[in-house]
Amino acid sequence: MPELAALSEPVTFESTPHGIVMMTAPDAPHGDILDDLRTFLTGLPRHGTTAWALRENTSVEVGASERTPDLVVFDPSRRVLVRAGRAMSTTGILLLAEVTTNSTRREDLDRDDPAAKPRQYAAGGIPLYLVVDRRKAEVLLFRDATNGVYPEPAVFRVGEPVWLPKPFSAAWPTEFMKELL
């Protein structure tokens, strides 16, 4: 039996329309960005009757795929688990967030590939899809999908506040990211 080569970095796996994809595990700045976003969202006042909860590394069933966004923000009263209680359906998801890495950037941002995340999330009815593009030092906010496609995203330079619409109705300050990118 052939011997497997040792991996130089930890890896994770994700089910996509292209098959099972192996990705390198995120680095410390990736985690710092997610920590700040989680803290920001957790500290926001709730408007009206909308509540939300946050999960990391939770699979979401989108079409025939199981995607694992970096952060899932959902209405806990509407959460529906599928596939043996593991993957969430898109029901009640308010926002999905990704922080790009070298191995995930194309999947996280490609709007033309029907198998990439923007098209899959739009087709799945995800109202807000937030992507921190570390290579370009930008934050992109996809919203208002029509016929399963998001229009051009709102683009914010790192350092600018990122306005998150209802139910959040708040601006996420991104100045801290300048030190991380």
Side-chain angles (χ1 to χ4, degrees), residues 75-106:
D75 177 343
S77 70
R78 298 188 59 213
R79 179 176 55 164
V80 178
L81 296 176
V82 294
R83 292 199 184 160
R86 258 183 340 104
M88 291 176 69
S89 71
T90 58
T91 303
I93 291 180
L94 304 171
L95 178 142
L96 295 179
E98 298 280 4
V99 177
T100 62
T101 64
N102 287 336
S103 64
T104 65
R105 186 172 183 275
R106 189 187 86 47

Side-chain angles (χ1 to χ4, degrees), residues 141-154:
L141 181 63
F142 296 85
R143 62 183 285 198
D144 301 325
T146 303
N147 298 322
V149 178
Y150 292 117
E152 287 293 320

Side-chain angles (χ1 to χ4, degrees), residues 32-70:
D32 292 343
I33 293 167
L34 285 173
D35 286 346
D36 189 86
L37 179 58
R38 185 182 336 94
T39 300
F40 170 75
L41 291 170
T42 302
L44 289 177
R46 304 308 198 253
H47 301 284
T49 59
T50 303
W52 59 79
L54 292 84
R55 296 277 188 276
E56 290 183 49
N57 300 313
T58 297
S59 295
V60 175
E61 185 179 73
V62 184
S65 300
E66 253 185 55
R67 295 303 204 151
T68 308
D70 291 324

Side-chain angles (χ1 to χ4, degrees), residues 121-136:
Y121 292 164
I126 304 300
L128 300 171
Y129 174 45
L130 179 83
V131 182
V132 176
D133 184 355
R134 293 167 60 186
R135 186 179 300 163
K136 287 190 172 183

